[in-house]
Structures are given as C-alpha cells and as structure tokens.
Amino acid sequence: RFPFPHDSRLLRSTDFRRVYDEGFRVTGPLFTAFCRQTDGQAGSRVGFTVPRALGCAVARNRIRRRMREAVRLRLALLPAGWQVVFNPRRGVLAAGFDVLGREVERVFERCAGRS
C-alpha cells in the first residue's frame, strides 16, 4: 500500500500562494503543475485546485479524486523537499488512468531533475 497521509498534503492558502509565486510551472494536456523546492522541509507535499469552471461539484470532486489517486500511487517517485500544486483541466475526466499516471510521473521526473 502507498498511503497518502494528511501531512503530505498542501492545505493552507499561504502554502499554495508560495508555490505559485516562488516555483516553476510544468504544463501538459491534462493539467498544469506548479513545483517549488523547499530547503528545510524533509517530506514532499502535494495540493490540488479544481476551479468551478470545470463543472458542478460532482464533476470537480471526481476530478480531484482521480488526481489524488494518481498522485498517491506515484508519491514515492517525488523527491523529498518538494511542494507541488496540480491545476487539472477538464480532460482529466475523459483521460485513461494510465495516461493520467504517466503525466504525474513526468511532473515528478522534472522535479527530480532539478534536485
């Protein structure tokens, strides 16, 4: 099992803002990811933002659940000391789960390359 513990999530708006302002952007067909390397933090943390423009609450929650599961299965690939915020696009609902997983891996590899 690959748990996705609560302390591996970005939850505060100040943390999200810091990643947006100080990090770099990785774009793809399914989402945009903002990545920021931290100095003093040992563990990596991941956050998700799903705007209202993507649909009703049911659709947004489904997008969020799909993204969270794809990240959870690949969290071990993310090097320590990174904060990543995923901003999904509507295509996440229609994409296959393996395609979504490959895109998440691509983002984590970009982070590993900058470590």
Side-chain angles (χ1 to χ4, degrees):
R1 290 189 47 108
F2 302 99
F4 193 30
H6 196 264
D7 60 349
S8 294
R9 300 177 190 177
L10 284 174
L11 299 173
R12 295 185 307 178
S13 62
T14 56
D15 293 335
F16 279 85
R17 179 58 38 208
R18 193 173 299 127
V19 172
Y20 291 140
D21 292 342
E22 299 173 10
F24 63 94
R25 180 190 326 220
V26 179
T27 58
L30 300 178
F31 53 78
T32 300
F34 295 86
C35 308
R36 174 182 175 264
Q37 189 171 15
T38 60
D39 296 328
Q41 213 172 21
S44 296
R45 297 170 56 194
V46 179
F48 306 95
T49 57
V50 184
R52 287 186 181 173
L54 293 184
C56 64
V58 173
R60 293 193 312 268
N61 287 334
R62 185 171 292 138
I63 290 170
R64 191 176 298 113
R65 283 193 305 269
R66 286 177 58 87
M67 287 296 303
R68 190 181 309 132
E69 183 65 11
V71 168
R72 183 188 72 85
L73 292 175
R74 291 154 182 87
L75 195 57
L77 300 175
L78 184 62
W82 282 90
Q83 293 179 338
V84 181
V85 175
F86 288 97
N87 293 339
R89 296 190 173 112
R90 193 178 309 270
V92 170
L93 282 175
F97 198 72
D98 55 336
V99 174
L100 182 59
R102 281 196 302 270
E103 287 295 312
V104 170
E105 286 177 14
R106 188 177 65 83
V107 170
F108 290 171
E109 288 171 1
R110 287 277 303 267
C111 293
R114 291 202 179 204
S115 292

